[in-house]
Amino acid sequence: MDNEQLKKRMNELTWKFPHAYSKADSGEQQSITDFSEDYKTFLNQTKTEREFVRYAVELCEKNGYKPFSAGSQMKPGDRMYFINRDKALILTTIGKRSLCDGLRMTVSHIDSPRLDLKPFPLFEKNDIAYLKTHYYGGIRKYQWVTVPLALHGIVAKKDGSTVEIRIGEEPADPLLYITDLLPHLGAEQNEKKLKDGIKGEELNAIAATTPFDPESEEKNLIKLKFLDLINQKYNITEKDFLTAELTLVPAYPARDVGLDRALVGAYGQDDRVCAYATLRAELETNVPEHTTVTVFADKEEIGSYGNTGMNSDFTLHFIEDLCRSCGADINTALRNTYALSTDVGAAYDPNYPSVFDEQNSCHINKGCVLTKYTGARGKSGSNDASAETLAKVTGIFDEADILWQVGEIGAVDAGGGGTVALFVAHADINVVDLGVPILSMHSPYELASKADLYNLFKAVKAFYK
Ligand code: MN
Ligand code: MN
C-alpha cells in the first residue's frame, strides 16, 4: 500500500478533534473577538446571581420580552421572562410546534464560589476591624488570601425594601483584603498540608484600621468607625447585617490572557461563561421550531438546594404553567424535551497531567465540550446521557459546523464533580452536559478560551433554531 492510500484510509477511519482556529477565517476570528469583548463587560457587571438577573432582565426588556403570566394567550415568537426571587431566571420564546413535540431547554447556573459574610460578621482585634466569612462552594482556601476583594449584596429591611451594597469595583473604591503570612515567618505554615494551610476561621477580611474617635479610651472604636462609614453610605446598622446577603468576590476586572489574547481571565466564569452564551443564543432566537426554555439557576455550587436551585420544582412549575397556557399535556412535553445542562468542564492542564486522562479531557481552544457523565468513582451521582441523546445533539452541532469536543472531569478515581443535569433528568427530560473548558476552575481568577465560548454560543443557537 502506498503512503497516499494509507493516509486516505487513516482519514476515513480515525478521529481527531480539530483546533478551534483551524476552521476560523478572518470573519469568524473577528466574531470571536467581538463576542468576547461584550462578554468581558458582562462579567464585570454580574458577579452575583442577583446582579445577573437584573442585567439579563434589562437586556430582555429591550429585546421585547414581557413578564410571564400563566394562562395568558401565547403565540409563536412570543418572548417572556420569569424571575424567581431575584436569584434565578427563566426565559422562553414560543415555537411554531406544539409543546407536546418537546421543548429545547438549557440550564446554566449563575452562582459562583465566593466568601459570604457570616450573619454577625463584624469584630475588632488588636486595633483592626474584621469581617468574618463563611465560604460558599468548593474553594481552595489558600487561593483567597492576598486577593483584592469587593463587597456585594443586599440588606433586606423590615418594610420590604432592600439596600444594595457594592464596594470595591470602581477604581477609586476601597477594597477588602485577607492577609497571609510573610515567607520569613512561614516556616511552620509551610509544613502544613496544602488544604490546612489556611483555615476557614482564618478567612477574616480587613474592614477598617483607624478609630472613630482617636482621643477616646472606649473599646471597639475601629469597629464603630466601619459602622459609621457604612451607615453614612447605606443607612444601615450592625443589626441589619443579620438580614443581609453579603459576599466578598475578587475585585479584579476581566482581562485578556496570553499575548495572542485568546483567553479571558476573570472571576466566576464557572458558570457565567455558559450563562452568557445561552442568554445571547436565546436573545437571537426569534420564531423557533420548538419552544425554548432558558434557565439561569442559583445554588449549584452548594448542591442546587434551596428554592432558587435546580433541586427545587420552580422550573417544573414554570413548564407546567407554560403547558397549561398552550393547552399541551405536560408529561408528553417533558418526555419529548431535549435539554443541555450548560456548565463548565475541567480543561486539561499540562502543568498537572497526573489527574487527567489526556485523550478523554477537554482542551482549551478545541471548542465547546460535551460531557456524557460527571460524578465520581463509578459514575456515582451522574446523569450519564444516552447514546441516542448524544447523537441527537451532536447531529445538530455538526450540521451547523460547531467545533465541539468530549471531556470527562478528570482521570478515573482522581476526584469528581457534578452538574444540574441529574435534576433535569429527574423531570423525565433528555439531557446532556455541554460547556466550556476552564483552567483554574473555582479559583479567584479562572481562564476560558474565547473561541470555546463562541462555539458554545453557536451550538446553543443551532440547538434552539
Ligand atoms: Mn459549574
Ligand atoms: Mn463549579
Side-chain angles (χ1 to χ4, degrees):
M1 189 179 271
D2 68 25
N3 213 20
E4 204 130 294
Q5 278 177 306
L6 180 77
K7 273 194 178 152
K8 184 168 169 280
R9 199 67 183 134
M10 192 95 118
N11 274 337
E12 282 167 356
L13 295 183
T14 64
W15 176 249
K16 204 175 152 220
F17 291 109
H19 194 276
Y21 285 93
S22 65
K23 281 186 173 174
D25 59 20
S26 63
E28 174 92 348
Q29 287 186 27
Q30 192 57 49
S31 302
I32 292 171
T33 304
D34 293 347
F35 196 84
S36 72
E37 288 303 312
D38 295 340
Y39 173 55
K40 284 184 287 179
T41 307
F42 152 85
L43 285 170
N44 295 338
Q45 293 173 26
T46 59
K47 290 191 179 180
T48 66
E49 57 278 1
R50 289 177 190 272
E51 289 170 1
F52 176 91
V53 169
R54 191 176 47 202
Y55 172 96
V57 168
E58 254 177 48
L59 199 58
C60 284
E61 282 179 340
K62 278 185 201 146
N63 282 275
Y65 285 73
K66 300 270 185 291
F68 177 76
S69 125
S72 64
Q73 284 284 332
M74 293 171 194
K75 60 178 191 310
D78 281 357
R79 316 173 103 187
M80 290 160 285
Y81 65 86
F82 172 79
I83 303 171
N84 178 7
R85 299 169 174 89
D86 292 338
K87 289 161 69 93
L89 177 69
I90 304 177
L91 307 178
T92 187
T93 300
I94 303 296
K96 288 179 238 172
R97 290 167 66 158
S98 160
L99 268 66
C100 289
D101 290 342
L103 310 162
R104 289 285 181 274
M105 181 174 167
T106 62
V107 187
S108 56
H109 67 90
I110 52 175
D111 62 318
S112 296
R114 62 193 188 218
L115 301 176
D116 284 345
L117 295 197
K118 290 195 185 192
F120 197 30
L122 195 58
F123 73 100
E124 179 179 327
K125 199 177 173 196
N126 301 102
D127 296 332
I128 299 181
Y130 289 101
L131 292 165
K132 286 173 173 276
T133 68
H134 195 136
Y135 63 95
Y136 173 99
I139 64 162
R140 311 190 78 192
K141 296 176 202 94
Y142 71 88
Q143 295 178 337
W144 291 73
V145 294
T146 73
V147 165
L149 297 169
L151 182 64
H152 288 234
I154 60 128
V155 173
K157 299 278 212 173
K158 278 187 196 129
D159 63 7
S161 66
T162 55
V163 180
E164 193 186 344
I165 291 177
R166 191 177 163 103
I167 302 171
E169 292 296 344
E170 299 306 318
D173 278 2
L175 295 165
L176 291 106
Y177 185 88
I178 300 170
T179 57
D180 194 3
L181 274 177
L182 61 169
H184 318 63
L185 298 177
E188 195 188 315
Q189 190 191 43
N190 286 346
E191 296 306 317
K192 292 182 182 175
K193 284 187 173 166
L194 195 56
K195 72 178 174 62
D196 302 321
I198 301 288
K199 294 210 158 68
E201 286 292 346
E202 291 168 348
L203 292 172
N204 299 315
I206 293 179
T209 55
T210 54
F212 180 71
D213 177 1
E215 272 152 42
S216 167
E217 292 291 309
E218 284 287 326
K219 284 192 171 146
N220 286 321
L221 289 182
I222 297 166
K223 183 179 146 178
L224 187 64
K225 175 84 170 192
F226 172 82
L227 286 169
D228 180 58
L229 288 168
I230 204 153
N231 177 263
Q232 283 178 39
K233 195 165 158 87
Y234 296 109
N235 193 27
I236 59 171
T237 68
E238 190 172 25
K239 195 184 175 196
D240 288 317
F241 282 85
L242 306 176
T243 56
E245 276 177 24
L246 293 168
T247 185
L248 295 175
V249 295
Y252 310 117
R255 299 275 297 268
D256 290 344
V257 172
L259 270 67
D260 55 359
R261 299 181 177 274
L263 306 181
V264 170
Y267 162 70
Q269 298 199 73
D270 174 9
D271 183 31
R272 272 180 280 269
V273 67
C274 297
Y276 189 67
T278 57
L279 174 62
R280 285 282 301 263
E282 162 71 37
L283 286 170
E284 291 190 20
T285 301
N286 292 313
V287 191
E289 279 294 310
H290 298 263
T291 296
T292 68
V293 172
T294 306
V295 183
F296 304 98
D298 180 29
K299 297 279 192 279
E300 194 277 342
E301 296 294 358
I302 56 169
S304 294
Y305 305 109
N307 57 14
T308 50
M310 285 307 286
N311 197 17
S312 143
D313 285 336
F314 83 90
T315 303
L316 186 63
H317 292 163
F318 175 84
I319 297 173
E320 279 170 1
D321 288 345
L322 193 62
C323 285
R324 208 175 301 124
S325 306
C326 296
D329 175 57
I330 171 117
N331 290 348
T332 309
L334 289 171
R335 220 172 278 132
N336 290 327
T337 291
Y338 280 87
L340 301 172
S341 158
T342 49
D343 204 348
V344 297
Y348 179 80
D349 190 336
N351 259 342
Y352 308 100
S354 67
V355 295
F356 296 96
D357 166 12
E358 187 183 341
Q359 168 166 334
N360 282 285
S361 292
C362 58
H363 297 255
I364 53 161
N365 291 323
K366 288 206 166 177
C368 53
V369 52
L370 196 69
T371 299
K372 176 171 160 60
Y373 49 84
T374 58
R377 303 177 303 280
K379 305 190 181 181
S380 177
S382 162
N383 155 60
D384 202 5
S386 71
E388 291 88 342
T389 301
L390 293 169
K392 170 99 182 173
V393 300
T394 58
I396 294 170
F397 301 161
D398 284 346
E399 199 172 316
D401 262 335
I402 309 302
L403 285 167
W404 59 273
Q405 55 181 323
V406 294
E408 285 193 318
I409 192 163
V412 179
D413 291 336
T419 65
V420 299
L422 67 159
F423 303 111
V424 177
H426 184 83
D428 195 14
I429 288 171
N430 306 293
V431 59
V432 61
D433 281 295
L434 182 75
V436 168
I438 296 275
L439 287 165
S440 297
M441 195 195 293
H442 284 204
S443 76
Y445 212 63
E446 303 172 316
L447 302 183
S449 144
K450 295 177 179 180
D452 298 344
L453 161 65
Y454 191 65
N455 274 285
L456 176 65
F457 158 68
K458 287 204 305 181
V460 175
K461 224 176 121 173
F463 178 70
Y464 277 171
K465 202 170 152 218

